[in-house]
Amino acid sequence: MLTCDWCEENKANAEQTTVYWELITGTQSIEIIETPSISCTHCGMTYQKDETVKEIEDQLILVDQTKLPEKISYEELMSMERLLKRNYFDFSS
């Protein structure tokens, strides 16, 4: 069991879930299946770790968005060819 980031109870489990993400243009969203997630049996919250959110957001910026299908697995998304090596607009690190 993991500690839930929301309720802080030790009743969370690692899972793979489906998430929906809005593209940076705001004109389209995609379904990402089999996304690493945490689900808590105590509070019912299902969420992604900050690292996973950052990976998804960076990848969506770095790939050719015209080649994105409406539905994709997390692994397929992460393995897509990037147009740039890294997110040069991320000044957090």
Side-chain angles (χ1 to χ4, degrees):
M1 287 283 187
L2 303 169
T3 301
C4 177
D5 289 347
W6 292 90
C7 70
E8 299 181 350
E9 293 289 330
N10 290 329
K11 297 187 177 188
N13 297 301
E15 302 187 342
Q16 292 185 336
T17 62
T18 297
V19 298
Y20 299 89
W21 226 270
E22 184 177 331
L23 299 183
I24 194 167
T25 59
T27 59
Q28 170 186 355
S29 64
I30 63 168
E31 179 179 0
I32 307 171
I33 61 171
E34 301 169 355
T35 304
S37 303
I38 307 293
S39 290
C40 180
T41 58
H42 182 260
C43 69
M45 184 63 88
T46 299
Y47 61 94
Q48 293 70 48
K49 290 285 195 180
D50 291 342
E51 299 83 23
T52 304
V53 171
K54 182 169 178 5
E55 287 174 351
I56 292 170
E57 289 180 348
D58 283 349
Q59 187 70 351
L60 289 174
I61 289 171
L62 298 173
V63 299
D64 182 353
Q65 292 184 8
T66 63
K67 294 183 179 177
L68 284 171
E70 290 182 19
K71 180 177 181 178
I72 190 170
S73 76
Y74 174 82
E75 289 299 322
E76 290 171 323
L77 174 63
M78 292 301 129
S79 66
M80 285 184 73
E81 182 180 357
R82 293 178 167 192
L83 298 175
L84 299 171
K85 291 183 182 181
R86 67 180 190 89
N87 181 357
Y88 294 99
F89 302 103
D90 179 9
F91 302 108
S92 64
S93 47

